[in-house]
């Protein structure tokens, strides 16, 4: 780990100024991702700006929905009564992630900004375009079992690792940020970016901008939802494929459909055409398979991850069936029901 200066910000303005004045500075919240990356020398901040004392740790009602402060711990969010009543999809996704100890320390803002789990990214001894632009991507011809099947580029095939963000994508949350040029809102679908020719840039957040909150809209997907996470073991593992499904049903007919996939792309993956194909249709295996086919028609697997295409197809069908039936995947039940 390299030497760094440490500052604790007392106000949002102080935090923004401290970062904007120093290109080598980074915010630190729970530290569960950033400190690991510093130990591996992947991140080498010259200054850490501790934001844990900022007043961003509340969950409040806002415009008919909920405003989730950037410093709310993942565990608090997962067990909050209002979140469970109105946005159980989000609670379920959070409980599918990491371990109880990590969820106690990890924050909403830090979870949004956690970095990929690509093994080469963590290994300073190998090239990696995300870590060092222009150095190459060994995952494309190397071991790529956990890598992307959708939206990847010739420079990077990493996946985004967060479970929480997959639920936020399906729920169409917006991220409120403040920076040197003032406040702005970023729709969750525009917050993370595809690698393109700049894989070093994970998000559309600008240096100096701090995440203040995540806002959930005034919508009700509390009866027909699921977060289905498929992974190598049933605890403490990142998703190979995950599915966040949120439906509004009219009897057996799907009135509104939201579907987001995790573990398959550089960002939580949505497909407007697949969602449109579900709407107004009966909730049947045929309808679900059709949506899966639309999404996976674009899949481009690599040598070791072709299995993800079929895994994703089955996960989409199962996730939609669970959501339609109102029998969501339980994250505390260690069987895949
Ligand atoms: C062993 C292990 C297993 C895990 N398994 C899972 C899993 O299955 N699913 C899953 O989703 N996650 C998993 N995680 C990741 C974990 O959820 C993240 O590490 C955590 O959410 C990061 O939050 P943090 O507050 O600790 O962020 P930090 O480590 O403090 O920060 C992470 C990044 O966010 C930036 N940042 C933090 N807050 C803000 C803010 N308000 N505004 C702007 N920038 C900010 C920091 O500068 C840094 O770049 C796992 C982690 C570990 C170590
Ligand atoms: S997939 Fe992306 S993160 Fe992984 S080695 Fe290639 S460039 Fe680096």
């Amino acid at each position: 780990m390299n030497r760094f200066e440490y500052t604790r910000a007392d106000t949002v303005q102080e935090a923004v100024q401290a970062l904007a004045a120093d290109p080598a500075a980074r915010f630190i919240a729970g530290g569960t991702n950033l400190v690991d990356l510093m130990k591996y020398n992947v991140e080498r901040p010259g200054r850490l700006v501790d934001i844990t004392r900022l007043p961003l740790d509340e969950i409040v009602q806002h415009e008919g929905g909920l405003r989730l402060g950037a410093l709310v711990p993942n565990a608090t969010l997962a067990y909050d009564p209002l979140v469970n009543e109105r946005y159980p999809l989000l609670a379920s996704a959070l409980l599918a992630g990491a371990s109880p100890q990590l969820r106690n320390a990890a924050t909403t803002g830090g979870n949004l900004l956690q970095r990929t789990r690509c093994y080469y990214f963590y290994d300073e001894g190998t090239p990696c375009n995300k870590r060092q632009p222009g150095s190459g991507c060994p995952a494309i011809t190397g071991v790529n079992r956990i890598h992307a099947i959708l939206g990847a580029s010739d420079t990077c095939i990493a996946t985004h690792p967060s479970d929480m963000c997959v639920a936020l994508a399906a729920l169409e949350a917006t991220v409120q940020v403040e920076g040197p040029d003032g406040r702005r809102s970023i729709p969750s679908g525009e917050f993370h970016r595809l690698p393109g020719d700049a894989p070093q840039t994970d998000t559309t957040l600008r240096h100096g901008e701090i995440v203040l909150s995540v806002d959930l809209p005034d919508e009700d997907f509390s009866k027909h939802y699921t977060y289905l996470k498929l992974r190598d073991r049933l605890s403490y593992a990142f998703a190979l494929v995950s599915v966040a499904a949120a439906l509004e049903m009219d009897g057996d007919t799907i009135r509104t459909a939201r579907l987001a996939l995790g573990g398959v792309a550089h960002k939580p993956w949505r497909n407007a055409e697949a969602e449109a194909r579900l709407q107004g249709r009966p909730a049947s295996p045929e309808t679900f398979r059709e949506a899966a086919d639309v999404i996976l028609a674009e899949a481009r697997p690599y040598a070791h991850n072709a299995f993800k295409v079929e895994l994703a197809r089955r996960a989409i069908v199962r996730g939609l069936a669970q959501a339609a039936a109102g029998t969501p995947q339980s994250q505390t039940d260690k069987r895949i029901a």
Side-chain angles (χ1 to χ4, degrees):
M1 195 187 272
N2 68 318
R3 292 171 67 86
F4 56 87
E5 301 287 324
Y6 171 84
T7 319
R8 184 177 272 152
D10 291 319
T11 65
V12 167
Q13 288 69 26
E14 247 180 61
V16 168
Q17 278 165 14
L19 226 75
D22 183 353
R26 297 281 181 277
F27 294 128
I28 184 160
T32 61
N33 189 217
L34 183 56
V35 175
D36 272 3
L37 290 167
M38 289 168 67
K39 288 183 193 158
Y40 285 103
N41 277 323
V42 174
E43 295 265 16
R44 298 177 192 198
R47 174 182 299 274
L48 286 186
V49 179
D50 182 340
I51 57 173
T52 51
R53 291 214 181 147
L54 302 184
L56 302 174
D57 58 351
E58 288 192 343
I59 299 169
V60 292
Q61 310 217 34
H62 177 76
E63 293 181 353
L66 289 185
R67 172 160 280 182
L68 318 173
L71 289 170
V72 175
N74 285 178
T76 305
L77 197 51
Y79 294 113
D80 180 80
L82 281 175
V83 172
N84 275 275
E85 183 190 325
R86 299 196 54 196
Y87 307 95
L89 172 59
L90 176 60
S92 182
L94 284 158
L95 291 177
S99 65
Q101 293 88 342
L102 282 159
R103 293 195 295 266
N104 282 336
T107 63
T108 307
N111 196 313
L112 275 173
L113 286 146
Q114 64 172 295
R115 307 206 70 191
T116 183
R117 293 284 155 168
C118 170
Y119 348 93
Y120 300 103
F121 176 66
Y122 273 78
D123 179 0
E124 233 200 332
T126 63
C128 167
N129 285 329
K130 187 181 276 299
R131 193 169 12 84
Q132 200 181 343
S135 62
C137 173
I140 291 175
T141 51
V143 180
N144 44 40
R145 183 174 177 276
I146 64 169
H147 289 76
I149 54 170
L150 289 161
S153 75
D154 291 340
T155 62
C156 179
I157 61 170
T159 56
H160 178 69
S162 166
D163 292 296
M164 180 189 86
C165 294
V166 186
L168 293 181
L171 293 169
E172 297 196 339
T174 51
V175 184
Q176 310 302 323
V177 310
E178 179 156 338
D181 301 325
R183 287 191 184 201
R184 65 186 180 114
S185 293
I186 310 174
S188 60
E190 293 168 21
F191 189 82
H192 298 103
R193 53 183 299 287
L194 293 179
D197 57 6
Q200 69 276 15
T201 308
D202 294 340
T203 69
T204 52
L205 199 70
R206 302 172 194 137
H207 184 76
E209 284 183 327
I210 186 169
V211 175
L212 300 175
S213 68
V214 173
D215 291 0
L216 294 170
D218 180 13
E219 287 177 316
D220 189 357
F221 290 106
S222 61
K223 290 189 182 63
H224 295 282
Y225 72 90
T226 201
Y227 187 72
L228 177 63
K229 177 174 177 179
L230 303 177
R231 47 193 145 167
D232 282 327
R233 55 179 194 274
L234 277 173
S235 74
Y236 219 83
F238 290 88
L240 288 167
V241 170
S242 68
V243 173
L247 306 176
E248 274 176 0
M249 302 292 296
D250 198 351
D252 284 340
T253 303
I254 300 168
R255 198 183 322 136
T256 312
R258 302 271 185 77
L259 191 60
L261 303 190
V264 295
H266 205 251
K267 60 186 285 187
W269 190 261
R270 281 184 68 189
N271 181 312
E273 191 193 334
E275 289 178 13
R277 293 265 190 117
L278 289 164
Q279 279 157 201
R281 301 278 304 282
S284 67
E286 294 70 38
T287 309
F288 303 152
R289 275 198 290 271
E290 203 179 295
D293 286 346
V294 169
I295 295 169
L296 295 165
E298 296 174 44
R300 185 180 155 207
Y302 296 83
H304 305 110
N305 70 356
F307 76 97
K308 275 194 179 188
V309 179
E310 186 56 23
L311 193 67
R313 190 183 313 283
R314 293 178 187 215
I316 292 166
V317 173
R318 178 184 282 188
L320 286 168
Q322 287 179 347
T327 54
Q329 188 70 41
S330 164
Q331 303 303 343
T332 48
D333 181 350
K334 294 302 176 194
R335 294 164 302 148
I336 295 286

